[in-house]
Amino acid sequence: VARDDATIQTEFNLPKTLNEALPDDKEKKNNDSRAIVVTECTGTYNMIGCNKAWENLCGYAECEIVGKNSTILQGPDSNFDGLRDAVARLFEGEEQASVVTTNYRKDGSRFKNLLTMGPIRNESGKLTHFVAILKNIGDIKEVKQ
């Protein structure tokens, strides 16, 4: 069943600051049930950190993703146009953008992902990072030929 982001309710708030997204308190960071990753807002949007829920969903440890961009989660079935549009909307000033895409775990398995992204700003209001929350909306089973 195909779903788009208009049909799926998000029941979480996006973090607004870097410390909300990736708290220094490890227990607080790793007990958050939302799968959170933070990226730079320039260049190739390299990831700077994630939490335990993101690690569990995607199969990568935080130390494996720091400095890498999110293409490690993308593949032939990913919604590249939707992802580009969502990022463009954030640069245009939207506070939240969502897209449904197919992501790939470290082990190669795929899942349908409701990706919700937002800006992180510093104290003076300057955009410094993007935060993304991944929500698995369905594992994709491989069809045996």
Side-chain angles (χ1 to χ4, degrees):
V1 174
R3 301 188 223 177
D4 62 34
D5 60 344
T7 63
I8 302 165
Q9 296 299 311
T10 56
E11 71 282 349
F12 47 73
N13 293 318
L14 282 172
K16 298 290 186 204
T17 67
L18 196 52
N19 195 52
E20 275 181 45
L22 299 173
D24 292 331
D25 179 339
K26 236 181 182 13
E27 188 174 335
K28 185 174 181 184
K29 175 181 169 184
N30 290 329
N31 286 335
D32 194 324
S33 62
R34 302 170 297 174
I36 296 174
V37 65
V38 176
T39 70
E40 297 171 341
C41 64
T42 58
T44 57
Y45 311 110
N46 287 342
M47 295 179 276
I48 67 156
C50 66
N51 67 356
K52 186 62 77 182
W54 189 94
E55 290 179 339
N56 292 339
L57 177 60
C58 299
Y60 291 93
E62 185 177 44
C63 63
E64 294 177 287
I65 61 121
V66 171
K68 293 189 169 68
N69 65 47
S70 60
T71 60
I72 63 171
L73 299 176
Q74 297 167 357
D77 295 330
S78 295
N79 180 358
F80 296 104
D81 290 339
L83 292 165
R84 275 190 296 275
D85 177 62
V87 171
R89 292 187 346 240
L90 294 177
F91 277 119
E92 291 166 2
E94 288 192 27
E95 289 300 309
Q96 182 171 314
S98 295
V99 62
V100 173
T101 188
T102 298
N103 276 142
Y104 294 75
R105 294 182 180 94
K106 184 178 180 179
D107 68 8
S109 63
R110 300 178 297 158
F111 65 98
K112 228 12 140 184
N113 172 28
L114 172 62
L115 178 68
T116 304
M117 298 179 285
I120 290 183
R121 301 181 194 287
N122 64 15
E123 300 78 31
S124 60
K126 181 179 187 290
L127 178 66
T128 60
H129 298 88
F130 289 127
V131 61
I133 297 179
L134 286 69
K135 181 176 176 65
N136 181 354
I137 57 173
D139 286 332
I140 299 169
K141 307 292 182 222
E142 301 304 321
V143 177
K144 303 270 190 246
Q145 297 288 332

